[in-house]
Amino acid sequence: MKPNIIALDIDGTLTDSAKQIPPKTRHILMKAQKEGCRIVLASGRTIPALRRFAEDLHLDEHHGILVAYNGGMAVDVQTGEVLFDRPLQRSQSKSVLEHMKKFNVYPMIDRGDYMYVNNVYAPPIHVDGTEFNVVEYEARGGNFLLCEVKDLAAFADFPIRKILTAGEPDYLLAHYQEMQAPFVDSLSCMFTADFYFEFTAKGVDKAAAIRAALQKISQKKLTVAAFGDSQNDISMIEMADLGVAMGNANAAVKAAADRITLSNDEEGVYETLKDYFA
């Protein structure tokens, strides 16, 4: 069936390696919206970090939905209505941030216009053999001002929807089980890239947020196509009527999908949607 909801991960899915929406993909998403389809941008990114993609696709004209923080919050772009919101408990946030002091990672939390870190001059990490300033990358990607806080655990006395930790990929792979051990039964803990390990409220994932948002906007059955490439996309790919793994997706995502398309640099989203909206 022709989808009337298109749910898209951002990095490695909607955008190419230059972090831009490729032209054919943008064109077919605009066409789908004109035919009454709603677009859901579902990402580990924050709401501010999703805004530029929403603007590029004119989601404000078509009641597009932003699902941020790996499912911690969902917002109607046109009205600003919060369709779903599930932050961590304050005590949980403090416990995670206190526990992270034992590890060689960079915790990051956001509030309003600011992203809070221990060290705004944190040394770069190494990704694919190159140095990568992950704190600057995350701040610029979300249009945040950086603010340095020595003790994030003591500071975190407000609703937090996601605690992001960044580190050397080999280090995270060796230590993530210790990092998540105290919280494995009480929080959702996952990799969203080989240099990112994140904590959200229990049961929070992209699929749960999308379901909650769709229940608010419509009582009728909606046909969902979902596209992704990483571990945090599996829930929405399994939930969708048509779950699509990108050609660059990892093996677990491909195993969960109904269909495997081309990579993000080959316009895999367009390659699938042209069958419905060309």
Side-chain angles (χ1 to χ4, degrees):
M1 291 179 63
K2 188 173 185 176
N4 44 29
I5 300 290
I6 302 171
L8 298 152
D9 170 55
I10 301 294
D11 300 288
T13 301
L14 174 63
T15 61
D16 58 22
S17 294
K19 304 297 183 185
Q20 302 298 318
I21 302 174
K24 290 191 294 186
T25 296
R26 183 183 184 279
H27 174 77
I28 204 157
L29 291 173
M30 297 297 292
K31 191 172 189 299
Q33 288 181 104
K34 289 176 182 176
E35 294 183 21
C37 190
R38 282 203 193 196
I39 292 176
V40 180
L41 301 183
S43 173
R45 291 175 180 243
T46 63
I47 293 288
L50 293 176
R51 292 288 184 194
R52 76 175 178 93
F53 302 107
E55 291 171 3
D56 193 14
L57 293 171
H58 297 188
L59 298 196
D60 60 323
E61 300 173 14
H62 303 281
H63 284 285
I65 296 170
L66 302 182
V67 170
Y69 304 103
N70 279 322
M73 176 179 273
V75 176
D76 183 313
V77 180
Q78 187 163 344
T79 65
E81 180 185 2
V82 176
L83 303 172
F84 181 78
D85 188 14
R86 187 174 297 168
L88 289 81
Q89 298 173 19
R90 283 174 169 79
S91 60
Q92 292 174 326
S93 298
K94 288 180 174 291
S95 294
V96 170
L97 291 165
E98 188 66 36
H99 185 57
M100 290 305 104
K101 294 176 183 178
K102 302 175 184 177
F103 302 95
N104 186 23
V105 296
Y106 303 152
M108 306 180 213
I109 57 176
D110 68 277
R111 185 187 195 189
D113 294 332
Y114 289 87
M115 189 175 81
Y116 298 93
V117 296
N118 294 128
N119 181 5
V120 298
Y121 302 109
I125 62 173
H126 298 84
V127 178
D128 296 329
T130 61
E131 287 194 342
F132 176 49
N133 190 324
V134 68
V135 171
E136 179 183 6
Y137 172 79
E138 193 65 22
R140 291 190 184 280
N143 296 317
F144 288 120
L145 298 171
L146 273 172
C147 185
E148 191 169 283
V149 176
K150 185 166 289 188
D151 190 341
L152 288 172
F155 174 73
D157 196 24
F158 52 87
I160 295 174
R161 291 160 187 89
K162 181 184 76 170
I163 296 173
L164 172 63
T165 66
E168 297 283 352
D170 290 345
Y171 181 88
L172 288 181
L173 188 61
H175 292 87
Y176 80 93
Q177 291 180 323
E178 298 167 63
M179 291 167 60
Q180 72 177 8
F183 315 107
V184 70
D185 294 323
S186 58
L187 298 175
S188 291
C189 319
M190 70 180 68
F191 279 98
T192 53
D194 58 1
F195 53 91
Y196 281 151
F197 193 76
E198 306 186 359
F199 300 85
T200 56
K202 187 68 176 177
V204 163
D205 58 32
K206 293 182 180 184
I210 292 169
R211 285 194 199 97
L214 296 186
Q215 286 172 1
K216 275 207 165 186
I217 67 172
S218 178
Q219 297 304 307
K220 67 178 183 179
K221 174 73 171 76
L222 297 170
T223 303
V224 179
F227 295 78
D229 73 302
S230 296
Q231 177 189 356
N232 59 329
D233 300 319
I234 291 175
S235 66
M236 70 173 182
I237 284 173
E238 292 179 334
M239 172 271 294
D241 300 281
L242 174 64
V244 184
M246 304 301 290
N248 50 289
N250 64 43
V253 178
K254 290 179 177 178
D258 302 304
R259 177 171 171 176
I260 300 170
T261 188
L262 300 178
S263 75
N264 60 322
D265 285 324
E266 299 169 302
E267 301 222 44
V269 172
Y270 166 80
E271 187 65 24
T272 297
L273 293 180
K274 72 179 184 182
D275 294 343
Y276 303 97
F277 299 104

